Coordinates of all heavy atoms in Angstrom, one line a residue:
M36 N 34.3 -25.7 53.8 CA 34.2 -26.8 52.9 C 32.8 -26.8 52.2 O 32.7 -27.0 51.1 CB 34.4 -28.1 53.6 CG 34.5 -29.3 52.7 SD 35.8 -29.1 51.5 CE 36.5 -30.7 51.6
T37 N 31.7 -26.4 53.0 CA 30.4 -26.3 52.5 C 30.3 -25.3 51.4 O 29.6 -25.5 50.4 CB 29.4 -26.1 53.6 OG1 29.5 -27.1 54.6 CG2 28.0 -26.0 53.1
N38 N 30.9 -24.1 51.6 CA 30.9 -23.0 50.6 C 31.6 -23.5 49.4 O 31.2 -23.1 48.3 CB 31.6 -21.8 51.2 CG 30.7 -21.1 52.2 OD1 29.5 -21.3 52.2 ND2 31.3 -20.3 53.0
L39 N 32.6 -24.3 49.5 CA 33.4 -24.7 48.3 C 32.5 -25.7 47.5 O 32.4 -25.6 46.3 CB 34.7 -25.4 48.7 CG 35.6 -25.9 47.6 CD1 36.0 -24.8 46.7 CD2 36.8 -26.6 48.2
K40 N 31.8 -26.6 48.2 CA 30.8 -27.5 47.5 C 29.7 -26.8 46.8 O 29.4 -27.0 45.7 CB 30.3 -28.5 48.5 CG 31.2 -29.6 49.0 CD 30.6 -30.5 50.0 CE 31.5 -31.5 50.5 NZ 30.9 -32.4 51.5
T41 N 29.2 -25.8 47.5 CA 28.1 -25.0 47.0 C 28.5 -24.2 45.7 O 27.9 -24.2 44.7 CB 27.5 -24.0 48.0 OG1 27.1 -24.7 49.2 CG2 26.4 -23.2 47.5
T42 N 29.7 -23.7 45.8 CA 30.3 -22.9 44.7 C 30.5 -23.9 43.5 O 30.2 -23.5 42.3 CB 31.6 -22.2 45.1 OG1 31.3 -21.4 46.2 CG2 32.2 -21.4 43.9
F43 N 31.1 -25.0 43.7 CA 31.3 -26.0 42.7 C 30.0 -26.4 42.0 O 29.9 -26.5 40.8 CB 32.1 -27.2 43.3 CG 32.4 -28.2 42.3 CD1 33.4 -28.0 41.3 CD2 31.8 -29.5 42.3 CE1 33.7 -29.0 40.4 CE2 32.1 -30.4 41.3 CZ 33.0 -30.2 40.3
I44 N 29.0 -26.7 42.8 CA 27.7 -27.1 42.3 C 27.1 -26.0 41.4 O 26.6 -26.2 40.3 CB 26.8 -27.6 43.4 CG1 27.3 -28.9 44.0 CG2 25.3 -27.8 42.9 CD1 26.5 -29.4 45.2
A45 N 27.2 -24.8 41.9 CA 26.7 -23.6 41.2 C 27.4 -23.5 39.8 O 26.8 -23.2 38.8 CB 26.8 -22.4 42.0
L46 N 28.7 -23.7 39.8 CA 29.5 -23.6 38.6 C 29.1 -24.7 37.6 O 28.9 -24.4 36.4 CB 31.0 -23.6 38.8 CG 31.6 -22.4 39.4 CD1 33.0 -22.6 39.8 CD2 31.5 -21.2 38.5
L47 N 28.8 -25.9 38.1 CA 28.4 -27.0 37.2 C 27.0 -26.7 36.6 O 26.8 -26.9 35.4 CB 28.3 -28.3 38.0 CG 29.6 -29.0 38.3 CD1 29.4 -30.2 39.2 CD2 30.3 -29.4 37.0
L48 N 26.1 -26.1 37.4 CA 24.8 -25.8 36.9 C 24.8 -24.7 35.9 O 24.1 -24.8 34.8 CB 23.9 -25.4 38.1 CG 23.5 -26.6 39.0 CD1 22.7 -26.0 40.2 CD2 22.7 -27.6 38.3
I49 N 25.7 -23.7 36.1 CA 25.8 -22.6 35.2 C 26.4 -23.1 33.8 O 25.9 -22.8 32.8 CB 26.6 -21.5 35.7 CG1 25.9 -20.8 36.9 CG2 27.1 -20.5 34.7 CD1 26.7 -19.8 37.7
T50 N 27.4 -24.0 33.9 CA 28.0 -24.5 32.7 C 27.0 -25.4 32.0 O 26.9 -25.3 30.7 CB 29.2 -25.4 33.1 OG1 30.2 -24.6 33.9 CG2 29.9 -26.0 31.9
A51 N 26.2 -26.2 32.7 CA 25.2 -27.0 32.0 C 24.2 -26.1 31.3 O 23.8 -26.4 30.2 CB 24.5 -27.9 33.0
Q52 N 23.7 -25.0 32.0 CA 22.8 -24.1 31.4 C 23.3 -23.5 30.1 O 22.6 -23.4 29.1 CB 22.4 -23.0 32.4 CG 21.3 -22.1 31.9 CD 20.0 -22.8 31.6 OE1 19.6 -23.8 32.2 NE2 19.3 -22.3 30.6
I53 N 24.5 -23.1 30.1 CA 25.1 -22.4 28.9 C 25.2 -23.5 27.8 O 24.9 -23.1 26.6 CB 26.5 -21.9 29.3 CG1 26.4 -20.6 30.2 CG2 27.3 -21.5 28.0 CD1 27.7 -20.2 30.8
T54 N 25.6 -24.7 28.1 CA 25.7 -25.7 27.1 C 24.3 -26.0 26.4 O 24.2 -26.1 25.2 CB 26.3 -27.0 27.7 OG1 27.6 -26.7 28.2 CG2 26.4 -28.1 26.6
F55 N 23.3 -26.1 27.3 CA 22.0 -26.4 26.8 C 21.5 -25.2 25.9 O 20.9 -25.4 24.9 CB 21.0 -26.6 27.9 CG 21.1 -28.0 28.6 CD1 21.2 -28.1 29.9 CD2 21.2 -29.1 27.8 CE1 21.3 -29.3 30.6 CE2 21.4 -30.4 28.4 CZ 21.4 -30.5 29.8
A56 N 21.8 -24.0 26.3 CA 21.4 -22.8 25.6 C 22.0 -22.8 24.2 O 21.4 -22.5 23.2 CB 21.7 -21.5 26.3
Q57 N 23.3 -23.2 24.1 CA 24.0 -23.2 22.9 C 23.5 -24.3 22.0 O 23.3 -24.1 20.8 CB 25.5 -23.4 23.1 CG 26.2 -22.2 23.7 CD 27.6 -22.5 24.2 OE1 28.0 -23.6 24.3 NE2 28.4 -21.5 24.4
N58 N 23.1 -25.4 22.5 CA 22.5 -26.5 21.7 C 21.2 -26.1 21.2 O 20.8 -26.4 20.1 CB 22.4 -27.8 22.6 CG 23.8 -28.4 22.8 OD1 24.7 -28.1 22.1 ND2 23.9 -29.3 23.8
D59 N 20.4 -25.4 22.1 CA 19.0 -25.0 21.6 C 19.2 -24.0 20.5 O 18.4 -24.1 19.5 CB 18.3 -24.3 22.8 CG 17.8 -25.2 23.8 OD1 17.9 -26.5 23.6 OD2 17.5 -24.8 24.9
K60 N 20.1 -23.1 20.6 CA 20.3 -22.1 19.5 C 20.7 -22.8 18.2 O 20.2 -22.4 17.2 CB 21.5 -21.1 19.9 CG 21.7 -20.0 19.0 CD 22.7 -19.0 19.5 CE 22.9 -17.9 18.4 NZ 23.8 -16.9 18.9
K61 N 21.5 -23.8 18.2 CA 21.9 -24.5 17.0 C 20.7 -25.2 16.4 O 20.5 -25.2 15.2 CB 23.0 -25.6 17.4 CG 24.3 -24.9 17.6 CD 25.4 -26.0 18.0 CE 26.7 -25.4 18.4 NZ 27.6 -26.4 18.9
E62 N 19.9 -25.9 17.3 CA 18.7 -26.6 16.8 C 17.7 -25.6 16.1 O 17.1 -25.9 15.1 CB 18.0 -27.3 17.9 CG 18.8 -28.6 18.3 CD 19.0 -29.6 17.1 OE1 18.1 -29.8 16.4 OE2 20.2 -30.0 17.0
I63 N 17.5 -24.4 16.8 CA 16.6 -23.4 16.2 C 17.1 -22.9 14.9 O 16.4 -22.7 13.9 CB 16.4 -22.3 17.2 CG1 15.6 -22.8 18.4 CG2 15.7 -21.1 16.6 CD1 15.6 -21.8 19.6
E64 N 18.4 -22.7 14.8 CA 19.1 -22.2 13.6 C 18.8 -23.2 12.5 O 18.6 -22.8 11.3 CB 20.5 -21.9 13.8 CG 21.3 -21.3 12.6 CD 20.8 -19.9 12.3 OE1 20.3 -19.2 13.1 OE2 21.0 -19.6 11.1
K65 N 19.0 -24.5 12.8 CA 18.8 -25.5 11.8 C 17.3 -25.5 11.2 O 17.1 -25.7 10.0 CB 19.1 -26.9 12.3 CG 20.5 -27.3 12.4 CD 20.9 -28.6 13.1 CE 19.9 -29.7 13.1 NZ 20.3 -30.9 13.8
Q66 N 16.4 -25.2 12.1 CA 15.0 -25.2 11.7 C 14.7 -24.0 10.8 O 14.0 -24.0 9.8 CB 14.1 -25.2 12.9 CG 14.1 -26.6 13.6 CD 13.2 -26.6 14.8 OE1 12.8 -25.6 15.3 NE2 13.0 -27.8 15.4
I67 N 15.3 -22.8 11.2 CA 15.2 -21.6 10.4 C 15.8 -21.8 9.0 O 15.2 -21.5 8.0 CB 15.8 -20.4 11.1 CG1 15.0 -20.1 12.3 CG2 15.9 -19.2 10.1 CD1 15.7 -19.1 13.2
I68 N 17.0 -22.5 8.9 CA 17.6 -22.8 7.6 C 16.7 -23.7 6.8 O 16.5 -23.4 5.6 CB 19.0 -23.4 7.8 CG1 19.9 -22.3 8.4 CG2 19.5 -24.0 6.5 CD1 21.3 -22.9 8.9
Q69 N 16.0 -24.6 7.4 CA 15.1 -25.5 6.7 C 13.9 -24.8 6.1 O 13.5 -25.0 5.0 CB 14.7 -26.7 7.5 CG 13.8 -27.7 6.8 CD 14.6 -28.4 5.6 OE1 15.6 -29.0 5.8 NE2 14.1 -28.2 4.4
L70 N 13.4 -23.9 7.0 CA 12.2 -23.1 6.5 C 12.6 -22.2 5.4 O 11.9 -22.2 4.4 CB 11.7 -22.2 7.7 CG 10.7 -21.2 7.4 CD1 9.4 -21.8 6.8 CD2 10.3 -20.3 8.5
V71 N 13.7 -21.5 5.4 CA 14.1 -20.7 4.3 C 14.4 -21.5 3.0 O 14.0 -21.1 2.0 CB 15.4 -19.8 4.7 CG1 15.9 -19.1 3.5 CG2 15.0 -18.9 5.8
S72 N 14.9 -22.7 3.2 CA 15.1 -23.5 2.1 C 13.8 -23.9 1.5 O 13.6 -23.9 0.2 CB 15.9 -24.8 2.5 OG 16.0 -25.7 1.5
D73 N 12.8 -24.3 2.3 CA 11.5 -24.6 1.8 C 10.8 -23.5 1.1 O 10.1 -23.6 0.1 CB 10.6 -25.2 2.9 CG 11.0 -26.5 3.4 OD1 11.9 -27.1 2.9 OD2 10.4 -27.0 4.4
L74 N 11.0 -22.3 1.6 CA 10.4 -21.1 1.0 C 11.0 -20.9 -0.4 O 10.3 -20.4 -1.3 CB 10.6 -19.8 1.9 CG 9.9 -19.8 3.2 CD1 10.3 -18.7 4.1 CD2 8.4 -19.8 3.1
N75 N 12.3 -21.2 -0.5 CA 12.9 -21.0 -1.8 C 12.7 -22.1 -2.8 O 12.6 -21.9 -4.0 CB 14.4 -20.8 -1.6 CG 14.8 -19.4 -1.2 OD1 14.4 -18.5 -1.8 ND2 15.5 -19.3 -0.1
T76 N 12.5 -23.3 -2.3 CA 12.2 -24.5 -3.2 C 10.7 -24.6 -3.5 O 10.3 -25.3 -4.4 CB 12.7 -25.8 -2.7 OG1 12.0 -26.1 -1.4 CG2 14.2 -25.8 -2.5
H77 N 9.9 -23.9 -2.7 CA 8.5 -23.9 -2.8 C 7.9 -25.3 -2.6 O 6.9 -25.7 -3.1 CB 8.0 -23.4 -4.2 CG 8.5 -22.0 -4.4 ND1 7.8 -20.9 -4.1 CD2 9.7 -21.6 -5.0 CE1 8.5 -19.8 -4.5 NE2 9.6 -20.2 -5.0
K78 N 8.6 -26.1 -1.8 CA 8.2 -27.5 -1.4 C 8.2 -27.5 0.1 O 9.2 -27.3 0.7 CB 9.1 -28.5 -2.0 CG 9.0 -28.5 -3.5 CD 9.8 -29.7 -4.1 CE 9.9 -29.7 -5.5 NZ 8.7 -29.5 -6.3
F79 N 7.1 -27.8 0.7 CA 6.9 -27.8 2.2 C 6.7 -29.1 2.8 O 6.2 -29.3 3.9 CB 5.7 -26.8 2.5 CG 6.0 -25.4 2.0 CD1 5.5 -25.0 0.8 CD2 6.7 -24.6 2.8 CE1 5.8 -23.7 0.3 CE2 7.0 -23.3 2.3 CZ 6.5 -22.9 1.1
D80 N 7.3 -30.2 2.2 CA 7.2 -31.5 2.8 C 8.0 -31.6 4.0 O 7.7 -32.4 4.9 CB 7.8 -32.5 1.8 CG 6.9 -32.6 0.5 OD1 5.7 -32.4 0.6 OD2 7.5 -33.0 -0.6
N81 N 9.0 -30.7 4.2 CA 9.9 -30.8 5.4 C 9.3 -30.0 6.6 O 9.8 -30.0 7.6 CB 11.2 -30.1 5.1 CG 12.0 -30.9 4.1 OD1 12.1 -32.1 4.2 ND2 12.6 -30.3 3.1
M82 N 8.1 -29.4 6.4 CA 7.5 -28.6 7.4 C 7.2 -29.4 8.7 O 7.2 -28.9 9.8 CB 6.2 -28.0 6.9 CG 5.7 -26.9 7.8 SD 4.2 -26.1 7.1 CE 5.0 -24.8 6.2
D83 N 7.1 -30.7 8.6 CA 6.9 -31.6 9.7 C 8.1 -31.5 10.7 O 8.0 -31.7 11.9 CB 6.8 -33.0 9.3 CG 5.5 -33.3 8.5 OD1 4.7 -32.4 8.3 OD2 5.3 -34.4 8.1
S84 N 9.3 -31.2 10.2 CA 10.5 -31.1 11.0 C 10.6 -29.8 11.8 O 11.4 -29.8 12.7 CB 11.8 -31.3 10.2 OG 12.0 -30.2 9.3
Y85 N 9.9 -28.8 11.5 CA 10.0 -27.5 12.2 C 8.7 -27.0 12.7 O 8.6 -25.8 13.1 CB 10.8 -26.5 11.4 CG 10.3 -26.2 10.0 CD1 9.3 -25.3 9.8 CD2 10.9 -26.8 8.9 CE1 8.8 -25.0 8.5 CE2 10.4 -26.6 7.6 CZ 9.4 -25.6 7.4 OH 9.0 -25.4 6.2
T86 N 7.6 -27.8 12.6 CA 6.3 -27.4 13.1 C 5.7 -28.5 14.0 O 6.1 -29.7 13.8 CB 5.3 -27.0 12.0 OG1 5.0 -28.1 11.2 CG2 5.8 -25.8 11.2
T87 N 4.7 -28.2 14.7 CA 4.0 -29.2 15.5 C 2.7 -29.4 14.8 O 2.3 -28.7 13.9 CB 3.7 -28.7 16.9 OG1 2.9 -27.5 16.9 CG2 5.0 -28.5 17.7
E88 N 2.0 -30.5 15.1 CA 0.7 -30.9 14.5 C -0.3 -29.7 14.7 O -1.2 -29.5 13.8 CB 0.2 -32.2 15.0 CG -1.0 -32.8 14.3 CD -0.7 -33.1 12.8 OE1 0.4 -33.6 12.5 OE2 -1.5 -32.8 12.0
D89 N -0.2 -29.0 15.8 CA -1.2 -28.0 16.1 C -0.7 -26.6 15.8 O -1.2 -25.6 16.3 CB -1.7 -28.1 17.6 CG -0.5 -27.8 18.6 OD1 0.6 -27.8 18.1 OD2 -0.8 -27.6 19.7
V90 N 0.2 -26.5 14.8 CA 0.8 -25.2 14.4 C -0.4 -24.3 14.0 O -1.4 -24.7 13.4 CB 1.8 -25.4 13.3 CG1 1.2 -25.9 12.1 CG2 2.5 -24.0 13.0
Q91 N -0.2 -23.0 14.3 CA -1.1 -21.9 13.8 C -0.2 -20.9 13.1 O 0.8 -20.5 13.6 CB -1.9 -21.3 14.9 CG -2.9 -22.3 15.5 CD -3.8 -21.7 16.5 OE1 -4.2 -20.5 16.4 NE2 -4.2 -22.5 17.5
W92 N -0.7 -20.3 12.0 CA 0.0 -19.3 11.3 C -0.9 -18.2 10.8 O -1.9 -18.5 10.2 CB 0.6 -20.0 10.0 CG 1.7 -19.3 9.3 CD1 1.5 -18.1 8.5 CD2 3.1 -19.6 9.2 NE1 2.7 -17.7 8.0 CE2 3.7 -18.6 8.4 CE3 3.9 -20.6 9.7 CZ2 5.0 -18.6 8.1 CZ3 5.2 -20.6 9.4 CH2 5.8 -19.6 8.6
V93 N -0.5 -17.0 11.1 CA -1.2 -15.8 10.6 C -0.4 -15.1 9.5 O 0.8 -14.7 9.9 CB -1.6 -14.9 11.7 CG1 -2.4 -13.7 11.1 CG2 -2.5 -15.6 12.8
N94 N -0.8 -15.1 8.3 CA 0.0 -14.5 7.3 C -0.1 -12.9 7.3 O -0.8 -12.3 8.1 CB -0.3 -15.1 5.9 CG -1.6 -14.6 5.3 OD1 -2.3 -13.7 5.8 ND2 -1.9 -15.1 4.2
I95 N 0.6 -12.3 6.4 CA 0.8 -10.9 6.4 C -0.5 -10.1 6.2 O -0.7 -9.0 6.6 CB 1.8 -10.4 5.4 CG1 2.3 -9.0 5.6 CG2 1.3 -10.6 4.0 CD1 3.5 -8.6 5.0
V96 N -1.5 -10.8 5.6 CA -2.8 -10.1 5.3 C -3.9 -10.6 6.3 O -5.0 -10.2 6.2 CB -3.3 -10.3 3.9 CG1 -2.4 -9.6 2.9 CG2 -3.5 -11.8 3.6
G97 N -3.5 -11.3 7.4 CA -4.4 -11.7 8.4 C -5.1 -13.0 8.3 O -6.0 -13.4 9.1
M98 N -4.8 -13.8 7.2 CA -5.4 -15.1 7.1 C -4.8 -16.0 8.2 O -3.6 -16.1 8.4 CB -5.1 -15.7 5.7 CG -5.6 -14.9 4.6 SD -4.9 -15.4 3.0 CE -6.2 -16.5 2.5
W99 N -5.7 -16.7 8.9 CA -5.3 -17.5 10.0 C -5.5 -19.0 9.7 O -6.6 -19.5 9.5 CB -6.2 -17.2 11.2 CG -5.8 -17.8 12.5 CD1 -4.7 -18.6 12.8 CD2 -6.6 -17.8 13.7 NE1 -4.8 -19.0 14.1 CE2 -5.9 -18.5 14.7 CE3 -7.8 -17.2 14.0 CZ2 -6.4 -18.7 15.9 CZ3 -8.3 -17.3 15.3 CH2 -7.6 -18.0 16.3
W100 N -4.3 -19.7 9.6 CA -4.3 -21.1 9.2 C -4.1 -21.9 10.5 O -3.2 -21.6 11.3 CB -3.3 -21.4 8.2 CG -3.4 -20.6 6.9 CD1 -4.5 -20.2 6.3 CD2 -2.3 -20.0 6.2 NE1 -4.3 -19.4 5.2 CE2 -2.9 -19.3 5.1 CE3 -1.0 -20.0 6.3 CZ2 -2.2 -18.6 4.2 CZ3 -0.2 -19.3 5.4 CH2 -0.8 -18.6 4.4
K101 N -4.8 -23.0 10.6 CA -4.7 -23.8 11.9 C -4.4 -25.3 11.5 O -5.1 -25.9 10.7 CB -6.0 -23.7 12.7 CG -6.4 -22.3 13.1 CD -7.7 -22.3 13.7 CE -8.1 -20.8 13.9 NZ -9.6 -20.7 14.1
G102 N -3.4 -25.9 12.2 CA -3.1 -27.3 11.9 C -2.1 -27.4 10.8 O -2.1 -26.6 9.9
R103 N -1.2 -28.4 11.0 CA -0.1 -28.6 10.0 C -0.6 -28.8 8.6 O -0.1 -28.2 7.6 CB 0.8 -29.7 10.4 CG 2.0 -29.9 9.5 CD 2.8 -31.1 9.9 NE 3.5 -30.8 11.2 CZ 3.8 -31.8 12.1 NH1 3.5 -33.0 11.9 NH2 4.5 -31.5 13.2
T104 N -1.7 -29.6 8.4 CA -2.2 -29.9 7.1 C -2.6 -28.6 6.4 O -2.3 -28.3 5.2 CB -3.4 -30.9 7.2 OG1 -2.9 -32.1 7.8 CG2 -3.9 -31.2 5.8
E105 N -3.4 -27.8 7.1 CA -3.9 -26.5 6.5 C -2.7 -25.5 6.2 O -2.7 -24.9 5.2 CB -4.9 -25.9 7.4 CG -5.6 -24.6 6.9 CD -6.6 -24.0 7.8 OE1 -7.0 -24.7 8.7 OE2 -7.0 -22.9 7.5
V106 N -1.8 -25.5 7.2 CA -0.7 -24.5 7.0 C 0.2 -25.0 5.8 O 0.6 -24.1 5.0 CB 0.2 -24.5 8.3 CG1 1.5 -23.7 8.1 CG2 -0.6 -23.8 9.4
K107 N 0.5 -26.2 5.7 CA 1.3 -26.7 4.5 C 0.6 -26.5 3.2 O 1.2 -26.0 2.2 CB 1.5 -28.2 4.7 CG 2.6 -28.6 5.7 CD 2.7 -30.0 6.0 CE 3.5 -30.8 5.0 NZ 3.7 -32.2 5.4
L108 N -0.7 -26.8 3.2 CA -1.5 -26.6 1.9 C -1.5 -25.1 1.5 O -1.3 -24.7 0.4 CB -2.9 -27.1 2.1 CG -3.9 -26.9 0.9 CD1 -3.4 -27.7 -0.3 CD2 -5.3 -27.3 1.3
A109 N -1.8 -24.2 2.5 CA -1.8 -22.8 2.2 C -0.5 -22.3 1.7 O -0.4 -21.5 0.8 CB -2.3 -22.0 3.5
H110 N 0.6 -22.7 2.4 CA 1.9 -22.3 1.9 C 2.2 -22.7 0.5 O 2.6 -22.0 -0.4 CB 3.0 -22.8 2.8 CG 3.3 -21.9 4.0 ND1 2.6 -22.0 5.1 CD2 4.3 -21.0 4.2 CE1 3.1 -21.1 6.0 NE2 4.1 -20.5 5.4
Q111 N 1.8 -24.0 0.2 CA 2.0 -24.5 -1.1 C 1.3 -23.8 -2.1 O 1.8 -23.4 -3.2 CB 1.6 -26.0 -1.1 CG 2.2 -26.7 -2.4 CD 3.7 -26.8 -2.4 OE1 4.3 -27.3 -1.5 NE2 4.3 -26.1 -3.4
Q112 N 0.0 -23.5 -1.9 CA -0.8 -22.7 -2.9 C -0.3 -21.3 -3.1 O -0.2 -20.9 -4.2 CB -2.3 -22.7 -2.4 CG -3.0 -24.0 -2.4 CD -4.3 -24.0 -1.7 OE1 -4.6 -23.1 -0.9 NE2 -5.1 -25.0 -2.1
I113 N 0.1 -20.6 -2.0 CA 0.6 -19.3 -2.2 C 1.9 -19.2 -2.9 O 2.1 -18.4 -3.8 CB 0.6 -18.6 -0.8 CG1 -0.8 -18.2 -0.4 CG2 1.5 -17.3 -0.9 CD1 -0.9 -17.6 0.9
F114 N 2.8 -20.2 -2.6 CA 4.1 -20.2 -3.2 C 4.0 -20.7 -4.6 O 4.9 -20.5 -5.4 CB 5.1 -20.9 -2.4 CG 5.7 -20.0 -1.3 CD1 5.0 -19.8 -0.1 CD2 6.9 -19.3 -1.5 CE1 5.5 -19.0 0.9 CE2 7.4 -18.5 -0.5 CZ 6.7 -18.3 0.6
D115 N 3.0 -21.5 -5.0 CA 2.8 -21.9 -6.4 C 2.3 -20.8 -7.3 O 2.6 -20.8 -8.5 CB 1.8 -23.1 -6.4 CG 2.4 -24.4 -6.0 OD1 3.7 -24.5 -5.8 OD2 1.6 -25.3 -5.7
V116 N 1.7 -19.8 -6.7 CA 1.1 -18.8 -7.5 C 1.7 -17.4 -7.3 O 2.3 -16.8 -8.1 CB -0.5 -18.7 -7.2 CG1 -1.1 -17.6 -8.0 CG2 -1.1 -20.1 -7.6
I117 N 1.5 -16.9 -6.0 CA 1.9 -15.5 -5.8 C 3.4 -15.3 -5.7 O 4.0 -14.3 -6.2 CB 1.2 -15.0 -4.4 CG1 -0.3 -15.0 -4.6 CG2 1.8 -13.6 -4.0 CD1 -1.0 -14.8 -3.3
F118 N 4.1 -16.2 -5.0 CA 5.6 -16.1 -4.8 C 6.4 -16.9 -5.7 O 7.6 -17.2 -5.4 CB 5.9 -16.3 -3.3 CG 5.4 -15.3 -2.4 CD1 4.5 -15.7 -1.4 CD2 5.7 -14.0 -2.4 CE1 3.9 -14.8 -0.5 CE2 5.2 -13.1 -1.6 CZ 4.3 -13.5 -0.6
K119 N 5.8 -17.4 -6.8 CA 6.5 -18.3 -7.7 C 7.8 -17.6 -8.3 O 7.7 -16.5 -8.8 CB 5.6 -18.7 -8.9 CG 6.2 -19.7 -9.8 CD 5.2 -20.2 -10.8 CE 5.7 -21.3 -11.6 NZ 4.8 -21.9 -12.5
G120 N 8.9 -18.2 -8.1 CA 10.2 -17.6 -8.5 C 10.8 -16.5 -7.7 O 11.8 -15.9 -8.0
V121 N 10.1 -16.2 -6.6 CA 10.6 -15.1 -5.7 C 11.6 -15.7 -4.7 O 11.2 -16.6 -3.9 CB 9.4 -14.4 -4.9 CG1 10.0 -13.3 -4.0 CG2 8.5 -13.8 -5.9
P122 N 12.8 -15.2 -4.7 CA 13.8 -15.7 -3.7 C 13.6 -15.1 -2.3 O 13.2 -14.0 -2.1 CB 15.2 -15.3 -4.3 CG 14.8 -14.0 -5.1 CD 13.4 -14.2 -5.6
I123 N 13.8 -15.9 -1.3 CA 13.7 -15.5 0.1 C 15.1 -15.6 0.7 O 15.8 -16.6 0.5 CB 12.7 -16.4 0.9 CG1 11.4 -16.5 0.2 CG2 12.6 -16.0 2.3 CD1 10.5 -15.2 0.2
T124 N 15.5 -14.6 1.5 CA 16.8 -14.7 2.1 C 16.6 -14.5 3.6 O 15.7 -13.9 4.1 CB 17.7 -13.5 1.6 OG1 17.1 -12.3 1.8 CG2 18.1 -13.7 0.2
K125 N 17.5 -15.1 4.4 CA 17.5 -15.0 5.8 C 18.5 -13.9 6.2 O 19.6 -13.9 5.7 CB 18.0 -16.4 6.4 CG 18.2 -16.4 7.9 CD 18.7 -17.7 8.3 CE 19.5 -17.7 9.6 NZ 20.8 -17.1 9.5
K126 N 18.0 -13.0 7.0 CA 18.9 -11.9 7.5 C 19.2 -12.0 9.0 O 18.5 -12.6 9.7 CB 18.2 -10.6 7.2 CG 18.1 -10.4 5.7 CD 17.7 -9.0 5.4 CE 17.6 -8.9 3.8 NZ 17.7 -7.6 3.4

């Protein structure tokens, strides 16, 4: 009987872990979709929904931006000038 209880509890824990992992994946995917949308609209007001206040970002040329305010401003400036009209796709 003890083995049956232990097996049952183990199955419950495994099922819960799988469910949480699937929910996490969905939430991450939603954030990626929002980021790609922001990159295409060139408006980064939604960045609060997928970054933390202490976010840090290193761009492709090594510029290191620290904090949400700086990261949002830098993205806005670069997408207003360098990437203006450039479409971004998620692969």
Side-chain angles (χ1 to χ4, degrees):
M36 189 62 134
T37 303
N38 285 340
L39 184 59
K40 287 180 184 177
T41 303
T42 303
F43 182 71
I44 291 171
L46 286 173
L47 283 175
L48 291 173
I49 290 169
T50 303
Q52 182 63 31
I53 290 169
T54 302
F55 287 132
Q57 289 171 343
N58 289 341
D59 289 346
K60 184 176 180 179
K61 289 177 186 175
E62 287 302 313
I63 292 168
E64 184 68 24
K65 281 175 29 182
Q66 292 178 346
I67 291 169
I68 290 168
Q69 184 62 61
L70 170 62
V71 172
S72 174
D73 288 356
L74 293 172
N75 280 307
T76 62
H77 305 267
K78 297 188 186 307
F79 297 95
D80 297 332
N81 295 314
M82 194 174 270
D83 295 358
S84 71
Y85 54 84
T86 63
T87 59
E88 190 61 42
D89 63 346
V90 63
Q91 294 188 31
W92 192 291
V93 179
N94 73 6
I95 195 165
V96 295
M98 298 167 94
W99 185 9
W100 306 320
K101 300 173 190 162
R103 186 182 288 148
T104 302
E105 185 178 347
V106 170
K107 284 171 80 170
L108 179 63
H110 273 83
Q111 194 62 64
Q112 290 172 339
I113 286 177
F114 277 82
D115 284 347
V116 178
I117 297 172
F118 294 118
K119 187 173 187 173
V121 177
I123 306 292
T124 57
K125 177 184 153 285
K126 294 189 178 202

